[in-house]
Amino acid sequence: MAELLLDPNIRFWVVLPIVCITFFVGIIRHYVSILLQSDKKVDLQQVADSQALMRSRLLRENGKYLPKESYVMRKYYFNDKDKGFFMTQKRQGNVKNPMTDPSMMTDMLKGNVTNILPMIMIGGWINWTFSGFITTKVPFPLTIRFKPMLQRGIELASLDASWVSSASWYFLNVFGLRSMYTLILGENNAADQARIMQEQMSGSTMAMPPDPSKAFKAEWEALQITDHDWSLQSVEEELLANTPAQEDIYVKDKFV
């Protein structure tokens, strides 16, 4: 297969414009999201319950580093049948219906306007304006399965899979400029499209489950069957065994 030679003007009229457009659209999306951001009311009871579940989970995972008395005291606070936190706290599930909550519908609309709609419009415009261009080539060989991902808009069976089309170059920039956005805008920025999609798919890790009572029951059962196995039982002996003897320690002015 003959090697392709790209026109140097493609670098200035296709590659760099796509990078600049993608970058500045992300910057604009960040500031527009800040302007459209609404103040969310935080339920203090929900936050307290989330922190209690996190403390219980940390106790199950890291209780082996605590003495047995400290571990039993913390476990008693959560799992005592008469006074335990998970047994005495009764919560009602408060599941909000997005169709009946105007604030949730407004937040979903703002998210679509600032995240999904610009990506579709800019992607379609770039696909129409720079259609048919080959922009760059990855520096390693790829199999033919990568052609649909890297060569959108170019239907050439004889083209090597390492070449990247203009449309695919745009999507690579959408998810590849995370470090630049973090450097300029900070960690929690609205321009990071990959992070936004991950949050939409997985949800917030600190969010309280819809039914706190079921979450309390599940955590109570998980903590109840967890036994204490202190990992620092003989840490002093092991530390002293690995310490060199005093006569073996090198002293600079020993013979002076």
Side-chain angles (χ1 to χ4, degrees):
M1 183 182 296
E3 186 69 19
L4 294 179
L5 296 177
L6 297 181
D7 189 342
N9 291 325
I10 293 179
R11 179 192 311 147
F12 301 103
W13 297 103
V14 179
V15 177
L16 292 180
I18 292 177
V19 174
C20 295
I21 290 172
T22 308
F23 176 75
F24 287 113
V25 166
I27 298 294
I28 295 173
R29 184 194 301 119
H30 170 73
Y31 289 105
V32 171
S33 299
I34 293 177
L35 292 176
L36 298 179
Q37 185 178 5
S38 57
D39 296 333
K40 296 182 179 180
K41 296 182 180 179
V42 179
D43 189 358
L44 296 180
Q45 188 64 56
Q46 182 176 346
V47 175
D49 294 342
S50 300
Q51 294 294 327
L53 290 173
M54 181 178 295
R55 288 174 55 195
S56 177
R57 184 171 66 252
L58 292 176
L59 180 62
R60 289 190 288 109
E61 296 175 353
N62 303 318
K64 58 184 179 180
Y65 301 111
L66 295 174
K68 187 173 182 179
E69 294 78 7
S70 301
Y71 177 83
V72 171
M73 179 178 63
R74 289 166 172 79
K75 186 175 181 179
Y76 175 84
Y77 169 77
F78 286 113
N79 277 33
D80 183 64
K81 295 183 178 180
D82 298 328
K83 301 180 181 179
F85 179 85
F86 292 143
M87 300 300 295
T88 58
Q89 301 296 324
K90 305 297 181 182
R91 301 284 187 268
Q92 297 293 332
N94 187 15
V95 182
K96 294 183 179 180
N97 187 3
M99 302 303 296
T100 59
D101 190 355
S103 61
M104 295 184 66
M105 291 291 293
T106 304
D107 292 339
M108 292 173 59
L109 181 60
K110 291 179 181 179
N112 293 332
V113 170
T114 57
N115 298 318
I116 301 177
L117 188 60
M119 186 174 64
I120 295 176
M121 294 180 60
I122 299 300
W125 179 79
I126 288 177
N127 191 26
W128 174 75
T129 306
F130 304 103
S131 177
F133 282 98
I134 296 177
T135 57
T136 184
K137 183 180 181 181
V138 295
F140 46 84
L142 296 174
T143 62
I144 197 172
R145 293 180 179 272
F146 287 89
K147 288 179 67 68
M149 182 178 65
L150 296 179
Q151 297 179 5
R152 290 179 177 271
I154 299 178
E155 303 295 337
L156 291 177
S158 59
L159 185 62
D160 186 33
S162 300
W163 292 100
V164 181
S165 65
S166 57
S168 299
W169 177 246
Y170 164 70
F171 286 103
L172 290 177
N173 282 274
V174 168
F175 299 102
L177 293 175
R178 168 181 289 187
S179 300
M180 293 295 297
Y181 291 141
T182 304
L183 180 63
I184 297 175
L185 301 175
E187 289 290 338
N188 298 323
N189 58 80
D192 191 352
Q193 195 72 21
R195 181 183 61 84
I196 295 174
M197 294 183 65
Q198 290 176 359
E199 291 181 354
Q200 291 177 352
M201 293 178 63
S202 61
S204 178
T205 56
M206 291 293 295
M208 188 66 188
D211 193 351
S213 299
K214 294 182 180 179
F216 287 166
K217 183 179 179 181
E219 187 62 32
W220 181 88
E221 295 175 351
L223 185 59
Q224 189 70 19
I225 63 176
T226 303
D227 297 327
H228 180 261
D229 185 12
W230 196 21
S231 298
L232 305 179
Q233 182 67 35
S234 57
V235 64
E236 295 88 354
E237 291 78 2
E238 294 179 1
L239 181 61
L240 293 176
N242 296 328
T243 303
Q246 185 176 2
E247 57 270 12
D248 297 334
I249 299 177
Y250 176 75
V251 181
K252 182 177 180 181
D253 300 331
K254 182 176 182 180
F255 300 103
V256 176

